[in-house]
Amino acid sequence: MRRRVAATVAAGALVAGALVAGVVLDVQGQVRLHQSQGQVLSTRSLGQRTDGLVAATNGSTRRIDAQRATLQTRLTAVSAELATVDGLVAAAHSGVARGAVEVEAVHTCAGGVDRSVSALAAGQQKAAVADLSAVSSVCESLLAAEAGGPVYPFDFADPDVIVVKGGYEAYGTNSAAGNIQIMTSTDLVHWKKAGNALPSLPSWARPGSTWAPAVVHLGRSYLLYYTAAAASTGTQCLSVGTARRAQGPFTDDSRAPLECQPALGGSIDPSPYLDSSGKTYLVWKSNGGQGEPATIWGQALDARGTALVGTRPTALLEASQSWEGSVVEAPSMIASAGGILLFYSANNWDSADYAIGVARCRGPLGPCVKPLDRPLLASQPNLEGPGGESVFTDAQGQLQMAFHAWLPGAVGYPHNRFLFIRPLTVTAATVVVG
């Protein structure tokens, strides 16, 4: 199972508590990106001020039996992350202090996050998102400056990027911003939070378990495909919301999921593919388990894109190589010369072994073959465990791959998964990620 809840969004005190936890994880992402004594001490001070909020939230959850266990798990993860600050401070003592300009940037970044935490504690989610957006450019300046590094300084897992008039929209797994994060950019380098793309869930879905979004523009509507857990069973299922604008808000009034495959361990990671004739398909992953392998599936959608056509999906891909670790997931299709490329992630999602592969398919429903005996993109010196990819064509006609990855030495929760965007070069014989 690939990616799980970054924050729980519910009513009252529980909303503030879960959202605070989400933002605290982003704060800790900043700690890992800075190495000077002034930077770490600033973030440590923020962690100390946040401890009180975490403790208060923990007390509140004890009075809400229905969701106590879930939030307690998140708070435990936050406490573990805060405990790493002492080690970072000690490391900074042996390092070389940087200039006053960078230290000032750290204070500005940390101050904005601090204000966001306070707003969330007061139940002011829009203000909290605005506070993060206001300092995102300063926080970005503290990221690694080398080409190919992360392009956004806060958690943004399972990214999907589309081109819109005037720039780009990116959608990501639930975090402090809400059920589905959304950001905007004019250049794929500088990003601003735009809030929550999916403010409300359908009645059958459980709050706090929404991830892996993917969006397509079909006719006069934008369709947002995403994963959600069924409230009655906990099974992971697929659903779709619609909107007139790329930023939404998307609405999903469905009375039942689009697909669940409970006998195959549940369904996750939906991704639409629109062919040259205007016909739409959906590809996704079944989790596997109980003797069933993790599998990537494909099936045609109706003209509105809100229902699957036919009675059975087609199996497209299973794990068959040692590097995949018995897992294939996160499919993303694009047309290429002579067929279709199917990109996918494989191995354990919260490990440095997670990586991105590619297959060539004759059509959107296969058959598909793997041209490589190794990953297309694996861990590198400046990132670990890349995955959750989506492939798109930018405004200049260049293929790009958006994906998330951990920073080196900070793999797995409670660490952040950062957004990376790199050019993709495809020929009849090769596929190369820049």
Side-chain angles (χ1 to χ4, degrees):
M1 189 162 55
R2 172 171 162 230
R3 41 184 86 56
R4 299 300 170 262
V5 185
T8 299
V9 181
L14 189 59
V15 172
L19 291 174
V20 167
V23 172
V24 170
L25 297 185
D26 284 335
V27 175
Q28 303 318 310
Q30 300 312 311
V31 174
R32 294 189 300 277
L33 295 173
H34 316 143
Q35 295 183 3
S36 71
Q37 182 177 6
Q39 292 170 323
V40 176
L41 289 177
S42 174
T43 308
R44 186 183 189 189
S45 175
L46 177 58
Q48 291 170 345
R49 294 194 298 274
T50 306
D51 277 339
L53 288 173
V54 173
T57 303
N58 191 42
S60 297
T61 59
R62 284 194 290 268
R63 297 191 297 271
I64 306 174
D65 292 338
Q67 301 193 31
R68 179 184 355 177
T70 299
L71 189 54
Q72 184 60 52
T73 299
R74 301 297 302 127
L75 294 177
T76 299
V78 171
S79 297
E81 178 68 356
L82 291 174
T84 66
V85 175
D86 286 336
L88 290 170
V89 171
H93 280 299
S94 61
V96 178
R98 299 193 182 176
V101 173
E102 185 170 352
V103 172
E104 182 178 355
V106 173
H107 282 289
T108 300
C109 177
V113 177
D114 194 16
R115 290 190 295 274
S116 181
V117 169
S118 298
L120 287 171
Q124 301 170 353
Q125 183 178 350
K126 289 184 178 180
V129 171
D131 287 331
L132 284 183
S133 296
V135 297
S136 63
S137 61
V138 176
C139 296
E140 281 177 7
S141 70
L142 301 171
L143 292 169
E146 71 272 13
V151 297
Y152 186 67
F154 303 114
D155 188 80
F156 202 83
D158 310 316
D160 185 70
V161 177
I162 65 170
V163 179
V164 296
K165 184 177 180 179
Y168 305 88
E169 304 285 352
Y171 309 83
T173 281
N174 63 299
S175 187
N179 292 321
I180 298 295
Q181 298 185 75
I182 183 170
M183 300 195 302
T184 63
S185 175
T186 59
D187 57 9
L188 296 177
V189 176
H190 303 94
W191 292 89
K192 292 184 178 180
K193 281 187 179 292
N196 185 3
L198 186 68
S200 300
L201 297 177
S203 58
W204 59 264
R206 184 174 66 196
S209 300
T210 52
W211 59 86
V215 173
V216 66
H217 189 199
L218 189 62
R220 296 183 178 181
S221 297
Y222 287 87
L223 293 100
L224 167 69
Y225 299 89
Y226 66 99
T227 305
S232 59
T233 64
T235 302
Q236 296 164 33
C237 302
L238 312 180
S239 196
V240 58
T242 61
R244 291 294 187 183
R245 300 170 58 249
Q247 285 193 17
F250 289 84
T251 59
D252 183 355
D253 299 324
S254 60
R255 297 183 179 181
L258 184 64
E259 180 65 273
C260 285
Q261 296 174 294
L264 301 179
S267 304
I268 66 172
D269 300 347
S271 180
Y273 171 74
L274 183 64
D275 73 11
S276 58
S277 69
K279 190 172 183 178
T280 311
Y281 298 82
L282 192 70
V283 291
W284 71 90
K285 172 217 179 173
S286 62
N287 281 322
Q290 298 183 348
E292 299 293 337
T295 304
I296 292 176
W297 302 85
Q299 191 168 353
L301 289 160
D302 65 9
R304 296 178 59 189
T306 56
L308 294 168
V309 176
T311 58
R312 294 176 61 87
T314 300
L316 301 179
L317 211 66
E318 294 180 4
S320 60
Q321 299 178 358
S322 59
W323 72 268
E324 296 167 335
S326 301
V327 174
V328 291
E329 58 189 16
S332 178
M333 274 187 170
I334 63 164
S336 69
I340 289 173
L341 291 177
L342 171 60
F343 297 88
Y344 64 98
S345 301
N347 214 297
N348 185 3
W349 68 274
D350 62 352
S351 77
D353 295 325
Y354 203 51
I356 297 171
V358 65
R360 291 187 180 271
C361 305
R362 188 176 300 173
L365 297 181
C368 302
V369 296
K370 301 172 185 176
L372 304 176
D373 60 359
R374 62 190 183 280
L376 176 68
L377 179 66
S379 293
Q380 298 179 349
N382 67 338
L383 63 86
E384 294 189 11
E389 74 292 333
S390 67
V391 178
F392 65 99
T393 302
D394 68 18
Q396 288 71 45
Q398 168 68 50
L399 280 174
Q400 303 279 355
M401 175 182 285
F403 60 94
H404 69 242
W406 314 92
L407 294 181
V411 177
Y413 278 131
H415 305 296
N416 292 327
R417 288 175 287 177
F418 292 91
L419 172 62
F420 292 74
I421 298 177
R422 293 187 178 180
L424 190 67
T425 302
V426 175
T427 69
T430 63
V431 181
V432 178
V433 180

